Amino acid sequence: MEGYSRYKTPLSSRYASEEMAYNFSEMKKYSTWRKLWVNLAEAERALGLNISDEQIEEMKANIDNIDFDMAAKEEKATRHDVMAHVHTFAACCPKAAPIIHLGATSCYVGDNTDLIMLRDGFNILLSKLARCIHHLGKFAETYRFLPTLGFTHMQPAQLTTVGKRACLWVADLLTDLRNLERARNNLKFRGVKGTTGTQASFLQLFEGNQEKVKQLDEMVTEMSGFESTYLICGQTYSRKVDVDCLCVLASLGASAHKICTDVRLLASLKEVEEPFEKSQIGSSAMPYKRNPMRSERCCSLSRHLMTLVTDSLHTASVQWMERTLDDSANRRICLAEAFLTADIVLNLLQNICEGLVVYPKVIERHIQQELPFMASENIIMEMVKSGGNRQECHEKIRVLSQLAAAVVKESGGDNDLVHRIKEDSYFSPIHSVLDKLLDPISFVGRAPQQVKEFLEQEIKPALEPYREELTKESILNV
């Protein structure tokens, strides 16, 4: 029972993928700290400081040899997480102990590791987002010719196609793909900047040699997998970077929420459903129910994702002068939670997109309930072509439409406007073409062509960098 007596965040214990949970794990964090200490020592040695190969090799051999119990005891004694891990690393690297963390401040390992985690987190998310776009694109192509009622104000409107509606969802996700790519590509390394960002400690180490200090910063940056460093920072990199990262994730959350809300509404209409497994239970009390629980969960988590950006905004606004430490506890929560939540949202969204079920007969029935009213202008135009009077025809259809509407609203019957038109001799000049006039596909405009153009001109180019990822099997924990 011991493992069940303490709170666990559902983000990691219930929902998140293994790769994202590891990306923000203690093992990833503290082993990255050690790698950064190795990078610093190697660069300092290359630039002439008295650091031996033996010390470097000892550090490399112990990167993953982390005594977490010792680190916890050290932190309890010192009240300082970085120094606790310096001491823990030094305990298993006695030869290298004198040069570990040489010239650095805590944010050398803390902030640089955060930037690595953010970059790696974006890479995980981008692959999953690409898969969602890919599956929705295939769905759009499959149903690009299937007419369906459009809805504005959640009221029946001009027809569109099921595929065209899916393209509305994809268009939002493509914006998110570009935003995530931009946020990832804009990330730089804090680098080797010292306690207030002035590099004073390193200038002292290299006896005033500014060129070597610059080289040290560039070397460690490159060794850590970044192309450039923030030239200006305080003790920390600007917390505006966190704002930028969480803003794009919040925007992704809004997209997912909108898509899954649409799916929930369509499920209520019984036109489209998310995947529903054979043994799945929709309700404990109502066995017949097929609740859209994946879409509901996605909306629920998306709301949480959208709120987390406010943490980063408040934190960025109160970083007095070169920094204050009131950012630390908040960032431990909001950065990891934002990426974990985004990861879960995309897992759910991918699962939904892969298994969307369409019910064409239900869609057709809904169209037939509304299309006669929408076709009234077309009928009028055809009557005029056949020699009829526009105003007289308009009045005839208005009267018949009111009668048909009464059948629908007052009696709960089907829309019988077409039947009334066929029975009215006034409309005999167009009786032979009436069915053609009421063919739903003639009311969707260029929707099928728009889908094809969108697939070729926007979706395909955007997914090109992810082609290899799209061929890999994806294991979803939903």
Side-chain angles (χ1 to χ4, degrees), residues 77-338:
T78 62
R79 311 300 296 175
H80 198 289
D81 58 346
V82 173
M83 287 310 299
H85 278 270
V86 168
H87 294 161
T88 304
F89 197 19
C92 59
C93 299
K95 295 175 183 175
I99 54 92
I100 293 173
H101 198 65
L102 183 59
T105 186
S106 298
C107 287
Y108 166 68
V109 288
D111 272 30
N112 283 325
T113 293
D114 287 344
L115 290 162
I116 290 170
M117 288 177 163
L118 295 177
R119 179 199 62 195
D120 294 350
F122 276 127
N123 286 335
I124 294 169
L125 295 179
L126 281 164
S127 295
K128 295 185 177 187
L129 179 52
R131 289 194 190 103
C132 293
I133 293 169
H134 172 66
H135 289 295
L136 271 181
K138 288 168 63 178
F139 178 85
E141 185 173 26
T142 300
Y143 293 103
R144 69 188 180 104
F145 285 105
L146 181 60
T148 189
L149 281 178
F151 285 89
T152 56
H153 313 274
M154 203 50 209
Q155 302 298 313
Q158 193 175 65
L159 268 59
T160 182
T161 70
V162 172
K164 170 64 188 302
R165 177 176 287 142
C167 286
L168 296 178
W169 301 338
V170 177
D172 286 348
L173 294 179
L174 285 175
T175 298
D176 295 315
L177 189 75
R178 290 188 291 268
N179 286 343
L180 264 66
E181 288 174 337
R182 176 193 54 76
R184 178 199 61 187
N185 296 340
N186 282 352
L187 287 174
K188 298 181 181 181
F189 205 52
R190 181 192 176 272
V192 183
K193 296 297 194 301
T195 55
T196 57
T198 65
Q199 299 176 301
S201 58
F202 296 104
L203 196 62
Q204 184 178 356
L205 273 177
F206 290 102
E207 298 178 344
N209 189 325
Q210 293 203 27
E211 192 56 39
K212 283 192 174 184
V213 174
K214 288 175 61 179
Q215 286 181 318
L216 178 69
D217 198 5
E218 292 166 0
M219 289 171 67
V220 173
T221 296
E222 184 178 353
M223 292 164 73
S224 303
F226 284 79
E227 294 182 0
S228 57
T229 182
Y230 295 110
L231 293 177
I232 295 295
C233 66
Q235 189 170 88
T236 68
Y237 68 78
S238 171
R239 296 314 184 212
K240 289 282 285 184
V241 175
D242 296 343
V243 172
D244 191 31
C245 292
L246 267 61
C247 272
V248 301
L249 297 185
S251 184
L252 170 63
S255 299
H257 200 297
K258 195 274 185 201
I259 293 168
C260 290
T261 299
D262 283 358
V263 172
R264 292 164 66 188
L265 292 169
L266 291 168
S268 177
L269 296 172
K270 296 181 173 58
E271 292 189 356
V272 177
E273 284 184 346
E274 66 177 37
F276 197 92
E277 297 167 20
K278 288 183 179 179
S279 60
Q280 185 174 328
I281 296 174
S283 167
S284 61
M286 295 168 279
Y288 61 87
K289 294 196 76 178
R290 294 170 65 93
N291 298 335
M293 63 90 170
R294 289 173 175 82
S295 297
E296 290 173 317
R297 187 190 305 166
C298 198
C299 288
S300 182
L301 289 165
S302 293
R303 286 203 299 275
H304 178 58
L305 179 56
M306 286 186 280
T307 64
L308 290 171
V309 69
T310 58
D311 274 1
S312 63
L313 287 166
H314 287 301
T315 296
S317 72
V318 296
Q319 286 304 287
W320 305 341
M321 308 304 180
E322 278 63 50
R323 80 85 57 101
T324 63
L325 194 60
D326 64 345
D327 64 338
S328 179
N330 186 286
R331 293 176 71 253
R332 287 175 192 267
I333 299 168
C334 73
L335 294 182
E337 285 208 355

Side-chain angles (χ1 to χ4, degrees), residues 45 105 156 187 218 244 285 377 385 390 393 399 424 433 459:
R45 180 192 60 180
T105 186
L187 287 174
E218 292 166 0
D244 191 31
E377 184 66 18
K385 288 179 186 178
R390 195 256 177 214
C393 182
V399 172
D424 193 323
V433 297
I459 296 179

